[in-house]
Every structure is written in C-alpha cells, then in structure tokens.
Amino acid sequence: MYRPLLVCLSIFCSLTMAVHGHALIQNPDARNQQSLNGDWHIIVDPYENGFYNHRYEEKPNGYFKDAKMQHPSDLIEYNFSASPTLRVPGDWNSQKESLFFYEGTIWYRKAFESKKQNGKRYILYFDAVNYEAIVYLNGEKLGRHEGGFTAFQFDATKALKKGMNTLVVKVNNRRERDFIPTVNTDWWNYGGITRPVRLLEVPQDYLADYTVKLQNDKIAFHAVSSSQKKNQTIRLHIPELGINEKYSTDGEGKVTAILKAKPELWTPENPKRYSLTVSLNGEKIKDNIGFRDIAIRNGDILLNGKPVFLKGISIHEEAPTREGRAWTEEDARTTLTWAKELGCNFIRLAHYPHNEAMLKVADEMGLLVWSEIPVYWTVLFEREDVYAKAEQQLEEMIERDKNRASIILWSVANETPNHQVRLAFLKKLVKKARQLDNSRLITAAMDTQTDNGGSKIIDDPLAGEVDVIGVNSYCGWYGGTPQSCASLHWLSPYNKPVIISEFGGGALKGLHGEVNERWTEEYQAAVYEHNLTMISKMDFVRGTTPWILKDFRSPRRPLPVIQDYWNRKGVLSEKGERKLAWKILHDFYENLTSSE
Ligand code: GCU
C-alpha cells in the first residue's frame, strides 16, 4: 500500500518541530526536568525483528507500541516487562558479558509517570545515544537521530500523557560505511543510551538559546525565544558585574546586545567564572560562564593577549575507575584531576564530543580544551549526505558547548587521507565552523609528514585552511627507534601555531625490560623522552597532546597477555596506575612551567 499522505505528514511534522522548537535547547541542566535515568527494559534484536515485522504504524503490536495481550488468543511475540534491564545512562558492552562485542539493535523501554501541566511545553532531551536512535512515546514516533556523541531533543508535548507513559527507543550501533565515524576506528564501539535522558518542562515560549561571551573587551549577549515572537522580555543578570538588563525580542524572537564590562578574565591559573541568570516567561536559567579571549598572531596562540604553550594530553571518553563510557561529573573530576596532576593546562577530547560534564568541570578546574567531531580516517568524503552528517554533528557540538570558556579549538577531522575530495569536504566544514562560532580557533589533526632529505615537512594542504595545525607523529613507535626521534628535524612552511596532537607508544603496566624491548614501560618512556626532545627543538610548536592519558578499549588491539583488546598507549594503565612515561611527561611540563 503506497502511503503518500503519511510520508508528507511525517515530513511536515518534522519541519514544524524544527521550526517551532529550537534545534537544541541551551543548558538543559538548568531547566525544570524529570530524570528518566535508571533501569530500562530491553530486547536485544540482532535481526531487526522489531523493525521489519512490527514497525509499520498500522501493525497493532509493533515493539514501539509496547503492546500487551488483551485476549488469550492474541499473538504478541515480545514482552518488555518480562525482559532483562540495562542501566541508563550506560553503554551495553560493559553491563553484560554477552553484549561485550554486540553491534546491532537493542530496543529500550521506560514506563514513567508524568504530572503533565497544561500550558507547559515538554522536551524529551537525550544527551547522547550511540549510534542511531528512533524514539517513540506512547506508540507515536517522535523522530530519529544519527550520531553517537551529540545531544538531541524532540518536542513531546503532544504525545505526552498525564499519568503513565511508555517511552520506547530503538538503538542501533552497527557501524556503516556512510556514517560519521565510518566502519574503522581505534576505539570501542560502545552502544546504547550512553548519557542521561530527561524530560524538560519549559514555558510554552521558552528561552531556546543564549550566548554570553567576551567580544572586543565587551560582553556580547545573544538570546532566542522558541516562539520567535517579538516584544518578549528577556533578562540578563550578572550580579558580580552589576549587570541587570532587560531586552525586548525582535521580529524573530531574538535579542542581541553588547554590554560594557571589565570581567576578570578566565585562565587555567585563575578559572574565574561568573554566576549569571537569563530569564524569559518566568523561567530563570542559571549558568556559570568564564570570559576569555583566544587568538593567533605570528605563529603564537594568545590567551587574553598573552602567548601560551599548551601542555596537554589526549583523552578518550572512558570511565576512569570502571569499564565503559564515562558520563558522570565524578568521572569528569577524576579524569581531569589526573590531567592536572600531570601538569596539564590543556586536554584534547578525542575523537568526538565528550559528555557535557567534562566541559563544565574543565571550565571549573581551568583546563583549555580541543573538542572534535569524529570525521576520522576514511569517511566517504565524496558523499553530500555524509558531509551533511558531519556538519550536523559539528553544529550539535558547537550549539551545546559554545558558552564553555575552556574550549579554545574546534577540530574538524583526525588523520584523514590527503586528497582533493577530502580537502573540499573539510574546507566546507572549516567554513561552517567559522560561521557557527567566530570566537574560537579551528584545527584538525593530520598525519602529514613528508620526508625531505632527513627533514619532516608539514605539507598537507589542509594546514593552509585551519588556524592551528595538528600533527600526529609516531616516531619511535610506527617507524624509527625511539632514540632516532631526538635528532628528527621538522620544517613548517606555514606561519601558524602547530600542536603535536599525537605521539606515544604502548606499554603494559608492570612489564619491565630493556629500553629496546617493545611493550615495556622502559620502551614507552624512551619514546616520550626522545619525542619531547624533538618537540623542544621545533620552534613553531605551541603545544602537544601526547597519545594518551589512559589505556582504552579497542577492537583493533587483540594481542593476548599484552593488549587483550586494550590500546596500551596510556601513560596510565586502565586502572589509573602511572607508568614510567608519566614522570617523563610530568617533568617536561614542570620544567616548561618553571621557565615560563
Ligand atoms: C592514530 C589515531 C588514534 C589511534 C592511535 C594509535 O593516530 O589518531 O585514534 O588510537 O593512532 O595508533 O594508537
């Protein structure tokens, strides 16, 4: 049966939601909300049974309907209430041994009570689901989201009932060639509802978005009402700066204002944040925002006008003290405390946007951040629809985190093959990033290193497109001996800051031996020692984020006894134990600090 009406309806429906609701509500933590975290019933569905045999809206007992037997003769071949549960948030791989390697669909169901009020709007907000989510509330499809590391929302006002509700989410983490990232990555494909789920309760016309930032020594304030109606009153209150202003929205529901103020500037040494409130229609949104400026000049990175050297470390989003994806504030505090103990003022959040707690804690602790979308290795650069996915994830990353002082760099790619189609794809992405946020620097990690008579030259044309050049170089691990790195000579034809965004080597914590023996802590320490010597001789380098803080899970690292599906390049073991290389890096940063 051909259903033109239904197709048109669903297109119209998604457009109206996008038009009426803002793409992503700003600062969900600060909203009235009902948490939907906890135990959800699940059905593991590797053959897509729930989708093909029960999906069609006219079929009475699709999984999404959470149908119950009404008569003894009813045929319903599933039962969420009798099914096992998974904790939400949380990847499924680390919760059940049987799901450690699982890639496919799992259906989740949460029954919850709502005290729905008339005149309020209800937004169902997912902090992240990896990789694809299709969301049904009380049997009604709210929509679909693709992308494992960025937040998304649906307006649930119409479908939500007062009393009991049934929320069903189809989650599929199967890797596909035309996804972002594509099928090959050096990290674990943790599937599931990996970050919090909440039902936000906001006014009918709510404060959809706001930006508060330092701009030419003044404070720039932008805000948008969800209804995009004019003459709505939006207030900005920053008590410590004596700011208490009210504004009337324009014909698009927007407010744009520039305020004179001399805030104390945010720095890693003094991460000063200002408590502020933005309000509309009785909703008061509290936030803590730091004011700082980041720029480049003559090859330097300037923080608040002063050159800064970025003493960094790369970090994957894995829990510091348990298996699986990190997502809690405590996870963020532990991980970022480890970075601080190492002597860092900078972190590279690889290779995808991390959970929001990481950015809010980085703001609080004073760590500068490189944030990145997973345009990783060999995505399908020739496909327009794949570009659209990358751009969507870029937008969702910037929308969520644009008020975080800690973030100074948006990265559009990691180690992508150097060819024309890729360059065109990434030039478009860089341009989009600048349009979305002209207050931060744009970068990408490249494995460009062409030998030129004993020197390494940075000659990837992408370097000409970004503000700061990221270079991944594995001298002493994927080529050469550790000792050979110290005398490596590098050339850069660009008058731009360079960050060595990856170097390192693997070691099994507790394995000791000769310095030329792979997988020993001594070998890894030698890789660090000689690469740091190399870096200190590269006069255009303005920072480094060695690979990586902690050992992390990877399906590409099966070596028994040594790796056992762990990538062992951490300076910390998976239990947080320091390896010999940790002290090499710590002392290097400590000496840099004392010479600053
Ligand atoms: C690459 C890549 C990382 C990977 C690392 C490694 O540079 O960017 O994601 O984990 O090398 O080989 O360990």
Side-chain angles (χ1 to χ4, degrees), residues 557-593:
R557 310 292 175 176
L559 182 60
V561 179
I562 300 288
Q563 295 177 319
D564 293 322
Y565 294 111
W566 291 98
N567 181 312
R568 294 288 185 199
K569 294 191 183 67
V571 294
L572 298 174
S573 73
E574 73 277 20
K575 298 188 183 74
E577 305 152 310
R578 293 173 182 177
K579 302 175 191 174
L580 291 177
W582 184 94
K583 190 170 179 338
I584 305 284
L585 183 59
H586 170 270
D587 293 356
F588 177 77
Y589 285 159
E590 194 172 57
N591 294 335
L592 272 184
T593 308

mmCIF file of all heavy atoms in Angstrom, residues 557-593:
data_model
loop_
_atom_site.group_PDB
_atom_site.id
_atom_site.type_symbol
_atom_site.label_atom_id
_atom_site.label_comp_id
_atom_site.label_asym_id
_atom_site.label_seq_id
_atom_site.Cartn_x
_atom_site.Cartn_y
_atom_site.Cartn_z
ATOM 1 N N ARG A 557 43.092 -4.179 18.979
ATOM 2 C CA ARG A 557 44.300 -4.431 19.777
ATOM 3 C C ARG A 557 44.154 -5.774 20.500
ATOM 4 O O ARG A 557 43.947 -5.813 21.703
ATOM 5 C CB ARG A 557 44.501 -3.278 20.761
ATOM 6 C CG ARG A 557 44.424 -1.896 20.121
ATOM 7 C CD ARG A 557 45.574 -1.621 19.198
ATOM 8 N NE ARG A 557 45.428 -0.332 18.492
ATOM 9 C CZ ARG A 557 46.367 0.145 17.685
ATOM 10 N NH1 ARG A 557 47.483 -0.538 17.471
ATOM 11 N NH2 ARG A 557 46.180 1.298 17.061
ATOM 12 N N PRO A 558 44.197 -6.883 19.781
ATOM 13 C CA PRO A 558 43.890 -8.194 20.398
ATOM 14 C C PRO A 558 45.082 -8.920 21.021
ATOM 15 O O PRO A 558 44.905 -9.971 21.626
ATOM 16 C CB PRO A 558 43.370 -8.992 19.207
ATOM 17 C CG PRO A 558 44.193 -8.490 18.068
ATOM 18 C CD PRO A 558 44.438 -7.020 18.334
ATOM 19 N N LEU A 559 46.280 -8.379 20.927
ATOM 20 C CA LEU A 559 47.479 -9.151 21.312
ATOM 21 C C LEU A 559 47.324 -9.755 22.711
ATOM 22 O O LEU A 559 47.285 -9.011 23.707
ATOM 23 C CB LEU A 559 48.714 -8.244 21.271
ATOM 24 C CG LEU A 559 50.062 -8.875 21.607
ATOM 25 C CD1 LEU A 559 50.391 -10.024 20.634
ATOM 26 C CD2 LEU A 559 51.155 -7.817 21.628
ATOM 27 N N PRO A 560 47.230 -11.096 22.806
ATOM 28 C CA PRO A 560 46.996 -11.718 24.121
ATOM 29 C C PRO A 560 48.096 -11.369 25.119
ATOM 30 O O PRO A 560 49.230 -11.131 24.750
ATOM 31 C CB PRO A 560 47.022 -13.217 23.811
ATOM 32 C CG PRO A 560 46.794 -13.334 22.352
ATOM 33 C CD PRO A 560 47.371 -12.088 21.735
ATOM 34 N N VAL A 561 47.712 -11.282 26.371
ATOM 35 C CA VAL A 561 48.590 -11.009 27.525
ATOM 36 C C VAL A 561 49.029 -9.543 27.561
ATOM 37 O O VAL A 561 49.070 -8.927 28.608
ATOM 38 C CB VAL A 561 49.847 -11.933 27.537
ATOM 39 C CG1 VAL A 561 50.745 -11.599 28.730
ATOM 40 C CG2 VAL A 561 49.415 -13.387 27.559
ATOM 41 N N ILE A 562 49.327 -8.978 26.402
ATOM 42 C CA ILE A 562 49.795 -7.575 26.374
ATOM 43 C C ILE A 562 48.607 -6.625 26.201
ATOM 44 O O ILE A 562 48.406 -5.688 26.966
ATOM 45 C CB ILE A 562 50.781 -7.370 25.204
ATOM 46 C CG1 ILE A 562 52.000 -8.276 25.361
ATOM 47 C CG2 ILE A 562 51.166 -5.896 25.100
ATOM 48 C CD1 ILE A 562 52.956 -7.893 26.461
ATOM 49 N N GLN A 563 47.814 -6.796 25.124
ATOM 50 C CA GLN A 563 46.731 -5.842 24.849
ATOM 51 C C GLN A 563 45.377 -6.357 25.346
ATOM 52 O O GLN A 563 44.669 -5.641 26.053
ATOM 53 C CB GLN A 563 46.660 -5.543 23.350
ATOM 54 C CG GLN A 563 47.892 -4.816 22.815
ATOM 55 C CD GLN A 563 47.817 -4.599 21.305
ATOM 56 O OE1 GLN A 563 47.383 -5.488 20.569
ATOM 57 N NE2 GLN A 563 48.237 -3.429 20.845
ATOM 58 N N ASP A 564 45.008 -7.572 24.923
ATOM 59 C CA ASP A 564 43.693 -8.124 25.332
ATOM 60 C C ASP A 564 42.574 -7.121 25.096
ATOM 61 O O ASP A 564 41.746 -6.851 25.964
ATOM 62 C CB ASP A 564 43.735 -8.505 26.828
ATOM 63 C CG ASP A 564 44.696 -9.675 27.084
ATOM 64 O OD1 ASP A 564 44.744 -10.595 26.227
ATOM 65 O OD2 ASP A 564 45.422 -9.627 28.095
ATOM 66 N N TYR A 565 42.605 -6.524 23.907
ATOM 67 C CA TYR A 565 41.626 -5.527 23.440
ATOM 68 C C TYR A 565 41.710 -4.239 24.253
ATOM 69 O O TYR A 565 40.723 -3.568 24.515
ATOM 70 C CB TYR A 565 40.203 -6.104 23.455
ATOM 71 C CG TYR A 565 40.015 -7.216 22.463
ATOM 72 C CD1 TYR A 565 39.824 -8.526 22.878
ATOM 73 C CD2 TYR A 565 40.104 -6.962 21.091
ATOM 74 C CE1 TYR A 565 39.699 -9.557 21.968
ATOM 75 C CE2 TYR A 565 39.968 -7.984 20.173
ATOM 76 C CZ TYR A 565 39.769 -9.288 20.605
ATOM 77 O OH TYR A 565 39.649 -10.294 19.686
ATOM 78 N N TRP A 566 42.915 -3.893 24.692
ATOM 79 C CA TRP A 566 43.221 -2.560 25.228
ATOM 80 C C TRP A 566 44.285 -1.914 24.353
ATOM 81 O O TRP A 566 45.270 -2.558 24.006
ATOM 82 C CB TRP A 566 43.771 -2.648 26.649
ATOM 83 C CG TRP A 566 42.815 -3.069 27.718
ATOM 84 C CD1 TRP A 566 42.670 -4.324 28.234
ATOM 85 C CD2 TRP A 566 41.868 -2.252 28.414
ATOM 86 N NE1 TRP A 566 41.695 -4.343 29.202
ATOM 87 C CE2 TRP A 566 41.178 -3.080 29.335
ATOM 88 C CE3 TRP A 566 41.523 -0.900 28.352
ATOM 89 C CZ2 TRP A 566 40.184 -2.595 30.190
ATOM 90 C CZ3 TRP A 566 40.532 -0.422 29.205
ATOM 91 C CH2 TRP A 566 39.871 -1.260 30.108
ATOM 92 N N ASN A 567 44.097 -0.651 23.999
ATOM 93 C CA ASN A 567 45.180 0.104 23.389
ATOM 94 C C ASN A 567 46.038 0.593 24.552
ATOM 95 O O ASN A 567 45.569 1.331 25.411
ATOM 96 C CB ASN A 567 44.615 1.288 22.587
ATOM 97 C CG ASN A 567 45.711 2.090 21.907
ATOM 98 O OD1 ASN A 567 46.715 2.443 22.543
ATOM 99 N ND2 ASN A 567 45.530 2.396 20.626
ATOM 100 N N ARG A 568 47.319 0.178 24.576
ATOM 101 C CA ARG A 568 48.169 0.359 25.764
ATOM 102 C C ARG A 568 49.024 1.624 25.690
ATOM 103 O O ARG A 568 50.077 1.690 26.320
ATOM 104 C CB ARG A 568 49.079 -0.857 25.924
ATOM 105 C CG ARG A 568 48.322 -2.160 26.251
ATOM 106 C CD ARG A 568 47.800 -2.132 27.663
ATOM 107 N NE ARG A 568 47.160 -3.403 28.063
ATOM 108 C CZ ARG A 568 46.324 -3.516 29.093
ATOM 109 N NH1 ARG A 568 46.016 -2.419 29.794
ATOM 110 N NH2 ARG A 568 45.778 -4.659 29.416
ATOM 111 N N LYS A 569 48.593 2.647 24.943
ATOM 112 C CA LYS A 569 49.429 3.850 24.835
ATOM 113 C C LYS A 569 49.189 4.828 25.977
ATOM 114 O O LYS A 569 49.734 5.931 25.985
ATOM 115 C CB LYS A 569 49.204 4.513 23.491
ATOM 116 C CG LYS A 569 49.690 3.659 22.301
ATOM 117 C CD LYS A 569 49.698 4.435 21.003
ATOM 118 C CE LYS A 569 50.125 3.527 19.846
ATOM 119 N NZ LYS A 569 49.081 2.464 19.589
ATOM 120 N N GLY A 570 48.418 4.480 26.946
ATOM 121 C CA GLY A 570 48.212 5.362 28.098
ATOM 122 C C GLY A 570 49.483 5.570 28.896
ATOM 123 O O GLY A 570 50.322 4.668 28.984
ATOM 124 N N VAL A 571 49.642 6.755 29.485
ATOM 125 C CA VAL A 571 50.705 6.938 30.478
ATOM 126 C C VAL A 571 50.190 6.426 31.828
ATOM 127 O O VAL A 571 50.937 6.325 32.791
ATOM 128 C CB VAL A 571 51.173 8.415 30.594
ATOM 129 C CG1 VAL A 571 51.861 8.871 29.308
ATOM 130 C CG2 VAL A 571 50.048 9.348 30.973
ATOM 131 N N LEU A 572 48.873 6.119 31.829
ATOM 132 C CA LEU A 572 48.250 5.446 32.975
ATOM 133 C C LEU A 572 47.666 4.116 32.474
ATOM 134 O O LEU A 572 47.186 4.046 31.337
ATOM 135 C CB LEU A 572 47.102 6.288 33.551
ATOM 136 C CG LEU A 572 47.441 7.668 34.123
ATOM 137 C CD1 LEU A 572 46.164 8.402 34.505
ATOM 138 C CD2 LEU A 572 48.392 7.576 35.302
ATOM 139 N N SER A 573 47.690 3.100 33.317
ATOM 140 C CA SER A 573 47.045 1.834 32.956
ATOM 141 C C SER A 573 45.535 2.031 33.012
ATOM 142 O O SER A 573 45.049 3.089 33.431
ATOM 143 C CB SER A 573 47.440 0.760 33.976
ATOM 144 O OG SER A 573 46.753 1.031 35.203
ATOM 145 N N GLU A 574 44.795 0.992 32.621
ATOM 146 C CA GLU A 574 43.335 1.132 32.656
ATOM 147 C C GLU A 574 42.823 1.272 34.099
ATOM 148 O O GLU A 574 41.686 1.670 34.347
ATOM 149 C CB GLU A 574 42.659 -0.053 31.958
ATOM 150 C CG GLU A 574 42.672 -1.366 32.681
ATOM 151 C CD GLU A 574 43.964 -2.175 32.492
ATOM 152 O OE1 GLU A 574 44.976 -1.563 32.124
ATOM 153 O OE2 GLU A 574 43.939 -3.393 32.707
ATOM 154 N N LYS A 575 43.692 0.981 35.053
ATOM 155 C CA LYS A 575 43.311 1.164 36.461
ATOM 156 C C LYS A 575 43.808 2.500 37.018
ATOM 157 O O LYS A 575 43.743 2.771 38.211
ATOM 158 C CB LYS A 575 43.870 0.015 37.322
ATOM 159 C CG LYS A 575 43.323 -1.377 36.944
ATOM 160 C CD LYS A 575 43.781 -2.418 37.965
ATOM 161 C CE LYS A 575 43.313 -3.814 37.588
ATOM 162 N NZ LYS A 575 44.123 -4.339 36.431
ATOM 163 N N GLY A 576 44.403 3.319 36.140
ATOM 164 C CA GLY A 576 44.867 4.634 36.617
ATOM 165 C C GLY A 576 46.243 4.594 37.247
ATOM 166 O O GLY A 576 46.656 5.539 37.917
ATOM 167 N N GLU A 577 46.995 3.494 37.028
ATOM 168 C CA GLU A 577 48.350 3.378 37.617
ATOM 169 C C GLU A 577 49.373 4.024 36.683
ATOM 170 O O GLU A 577 49.366 3.793 35.480
ATOM 171 C CB GLU A 577 48.716 1.895 37.794
ATOM 172 C CG GLU A 577 47.718 1.088 38.606
ATOM 173 C CD GLU A 577 47.731 -0.383 38.178
ATOM 174 O OE1 GLU A 577 47.638 -0.656 36.952
ATOM 175 O OE2 GLU A 577 47.846 -1.252 39.080
ATOM 176 N N ARG A 578 50.253 4.829 37.271
ATOM 177 C CA ARG A 578 51.240 5.557 36.469
ATOM 178 C C ARG A 578 52.312 4.635 35.921
ATOM 179 O O ARG A 578 52.837 3.794 36.646
ATOM 180 C CB ARG A 578 51.892 6.643 37.346
ATOM 181 C CG ARG A 578 50.920 7.744 37.742
ATOM 182 C CD ARG A 578 51.518 8.709 38.740
ATOM 183 N NE ARG A 578 50.542 9.729 39.130
ATOM 184 C CZ ARG A 578 50.786 10.667 40.043
ATOM 185 N NH1 ARG A 578 51.970 10.711 40.652
ATOM 186 N NH2 ARG A 578 49.864 11.561 40.353
ATOM 187 N N LYS A 579 52.663 4.834 34.638
ATOM 188 C CA LYS A 579 53.774 4.113 34.027
ATOM 189 C C LYS A 579 54.999 5.039 34.058
ATOM 190 O O LYS A 579 54.861 6.239 34.322
ATOM 191 C CB LYS A 579 53.433 3.724 32.581
ATOM 192 C CG LYS A 579 52.177 2.850 32.444
ATOM 193 C CD LYS A 579 51.833 2.598 30.970
ATOM 194 C CE LYS A 579 50.458 1.964 30.814
ATOM 195 N NZ LYS A 579 50.071 1.862 29.366
ATOM 196 N N LEU A 580 56.160 4.537 33.727
ATOM 197 C CA LEU A 580 57.389 5.340 33.781
ATOM 198 C C LEU A 580 57.257 6.605 32.913
ATOM 199 O O LEU A 580 57.758 7.674 33.267
ATOM 200 C CB LEU A 580 58.590 4.517 33.316
ATOM 201 C CG LEU A 580 59.021 3.370 34.247
ATOM 202 C CD1 LEU A 580 60.177 2.598 33.601
ATOM 203 C CD2 LEU A 580 59.410 3.915 35.628
ATOM 204 N N ALA A 581 56.547 6.482 31.770
ATOM 205 C CA ALA A 581 56.433 7.633 30.851
ATOM 206 C C ALA A 581 55.704 8.808 31.512
ATOM 207 O O ALA A 581 55.910 9.965 31.138
ATOM 208 C CB ALA A 581 55.716 7.205 29.577
ATOM 209 N N TRP A 582 54.848 8.474 32.493
ATOM 210 C CA TRP A 582 54.078 9.546 33.146
ATOM 211 C C TRP A 582 55.037 10.585 33.718
ATOM 212 O O TRP A 582 54.887 11.789 33.518
ATOM 213 C CB TRP A 582 53.212 8.960 34.273
ATOM 214 C CG TRP A 582 52.305 9.957 34.951
ATOM 215 C CD1 TRP A 582 51.002 10.203 34.642
ATOM 216 C CD2 TRP A 582 52.654 10.854 36.019
ATOM 217 N NE1 TRP A 582 50.504 11.191 35.457
ATOM 218 C CE2 TRP A 582 51.498 11.613 36.322
ATOM 219 C CE3 TRP A 582 53.809 11.094 36.768
ATOM 220 C CZ2 TRP A 582 51.469 12.595 37.314
ATOM 221 C CZ3 TRP A 582 53.777 12.074 37.746
ATOM 222 C CH2 TRP A 582 52.641 12.808 38.021
ATOM 223 N N LYS A 583 56.097 10.131 34.371
ATOM 224 C CA LYS A 583 57.019 11.070 35.036
ATOM 225 C C LYS A 583 57.838 11.857 34.010
ATOM 226 O O LYS A 583 58.147 13.036 34.209
ATOM 227 C CB LYS A 583 57.944 10.320 35.994
ATOM 228 C CG LYS A 583 58.760 11.229 36.906
ATOM 229 C CD LYS A 583 59.481 10.499 37.987
ATOM 230 C CE LYS A 583 60.320 11.419 38.906
ATOM 231 N NZ LYS A 583 60.705 12.720 38.359
ATOM 232 N N ILE A 584 58.160 11.190 32.897
ATOM 233 C CA ILE A 584 58.917 11.900 31.837
ATOM 234 C C ILE A 584 58.109 13.117 31.360
ATOM 235 O O ILE A 584 58.605 14.241 31.283
ATOM 236 C CB ILE A 584 59.170 10.969 30.618
ATOM 237 C CG1 ILE A 584 59.858 9.665 31.017
ATOM 238 C CG2 ILE A 584 59.935 11.711 29.527
ATOM 239 C CD1 ILE A 584 61.329 9.770 31.308
ATOM 240 N N LEU A 585 56.811 12.866 31.098
ATOM 241 C CA LEU A 585 55.960 13.956 30.599
ATOM 242 C C LEU A 585 55.729 15.004 31.694
ATOM 243 O O LEU A 585 55.818 16.215 31.455
ATOM 244 C CB LEU A 585 54.624 13.388 30.103
ATOM 245 C CG LEU A 585 53.657 14.395 29.486
ATOM 246 C CD1 LEU A 585 54.259 15.108 28.274
ATOM 247 C CD2 LEU A 585 52.344 13.711 29.085
ATOM 248 N N HIS A 586 55.464 14.512 32.903
ATOM 249 C CA HIS A 586 55.216 15.439 34.036
ATOM 250 C C HIS A 586 56.404 16.383 34.230
ATOM 251 O O HIS A 586 56.270 17.600 34.341
ATOM 252 C CB HIS A 586 54.980 14.623 35.306
ATOM 253 C CG HIS A 586 54.962 15.454 36.542
ATOM 254 N ND1 HIS A 586 56.105 15.718 37.279
ATOM 255 C CD2 HIS A 586 53.955 16.113 37.166
ATOM 256 C CE1 HIS A 586 55.803 16.504 38.306
ATOM 257 N NE2 HIS A 586 54.501 16.757 38.254
ATOM 258 N N ASP A 587 57.614 15.811 34.232
ATOM 259 C CA ASP A 587 58.802 16.648 34.480
ATOM 260 C C ASP A 587 59.045 17.633 33.333
ATOM 261 O O ASP A 587 59.461 18.769 33.545
ATOM 262 C CB ASP A 587 60.034 15.758 34.693
ATOM 263 C CG ASP A 587 59.918 14.942 35.988
ATOM 264 O OD1 ASP A 587 58.909 15.159 36.721
ATOM 265 O OD2 ASP A 587 60.768 14.088 36.239
ATOM 266 N N PHE A 588 58.723 17.192 32.101
ATOM 267 C CA PHE A 588 58.879 18.090 30.947
ATOM 268 C C PHE A 588 57.980 19.318 31.120
ATOM 269 O O PHE A 588 58.406 20.461 30.959
ATOM 270 C CB PHE A 588 58.509 17.335 29.665
ATOM 271 C CG PHE A 588 58.548 18.170 28.400
ATOM 272 C CD1 PHE A 588 59.750 18.497 27.791
ATOM 273 C CD2 PHE A 588 57.367 18.645 27.826
ATOM 274 C CE1 PHE A 588 59.796 19.268 26.628
ATOM 275 C CE2 PHE A 588 57.391 19.423 26.667
ATOM 276 C CZ PHE A 588 58.598 19.731 26.073
ATOM 277 N N TYR A 589 56.712 19.043 31.517
ATOM 278 C CA TYR A 589 55.791 20.178 31.697
ATOM 279 C C TYR A 589 56.210 21.030 32.892
ATOM 280 O O TYR A 589 56.140 22.255 32.866
ATOM 281 C CB TYR A 589 54.362 19.652 31.869
ATOM 282 C CG TYR A 589 53.712 19.167 30.595
ATOM 283 C CD1 TYR A 589 52.638 18.292 30.611
ATOM 284 C CD2 TYR A 589 54.163 19.590 29.353
ATOM 285 C CE1 TYR A 589 52.029 17.850 29.436
ATOM 286 C CE2 TYR A 589 53.570 19.143 28.171
ATOM 287 C CZ TYR A 589 52.519 18.290 28.231
ATOM 288 O OH TYR A 589 51.924 17.847 27.066
ATOM 289 N N GLU A 590 56.682 20.371 33.948
ATOM 290 C CA GLU A 590 57.094 21.129 35.149
ATOM 291 C C GLU A 590 58.260 22.067 34.805
ATOM 292 O O GLU A 590 58.268 23.232 35.183
ATOM 293 C CB GLU A 590 57.511 20.150 36.236
ATOM 294 C CG GLU A 590 57.623 20.803 37.607
ATOM 295 C CD GLU A 590 57.839 19.760 38.694
ATOM 296 O OE1 GLU A 590 58.831 18.994 38.585
ATOM 297 O OE2 GLU A 590 57.006 19.677 39.620
ATOM 298 N N ASN A 591 59.210 21.561 33.997
ATOM 299 C CA ASN A 591 60.346 22.424 33.620
ATOM 300 C C ASN A 591 59.882 23.578 32.731
ATOM 301 O O ASN A 591 60.347 24.698 32.845
ATOM 302 C CB ASN A 591 61.414 21.601 32.887
ATOM 303 C CG ASN A 591 62.026 20.573 33.828
ATOM 304 O OD1 ASN A 591 62.020 20.776 35.049
ATOM 305 N ND2 ASN A 591 62.468 19.458 33.283
ATOM 306 N N LEU A 592 58.884 23.282 31.839
ATOM 307 C CA LEU A 592 58.342 24.351 30.986
ATOM 308 C C LEU A 592 57.714 25.431 31.864
ATOM 309 O O LEU A 592 57.924 26.621 31.680
ATOM 310 C CB LEU A 592 57.261 23.788 30.058
ATOM 311 C CG LEU A 592 57.658 23.215 28.721
ATOM 312 C CD1 LEU A 592 56.407 22.821 27.948
ATOM 313 C CD2 LEU A 592 58.462 24.225 27.915
ATOM 314 N N THR A 593 56.941 24.953 32.850
ATOM 315 C CA THR A 593 56.215 25.906 33.710
ATOM 316 C C THR A 593 57.192 26.808 34.446
ATOM 317 O O THR A 593 57.053 28.013 34.492
ATOM 318 C CB THR A 593 55.337 25.136 34.720
ATOM 319 O OG1 THR A 593 54.536 24.211 33.990
ATOM 320 C CG2 THR A 593 54.467 26.089 35.523
#
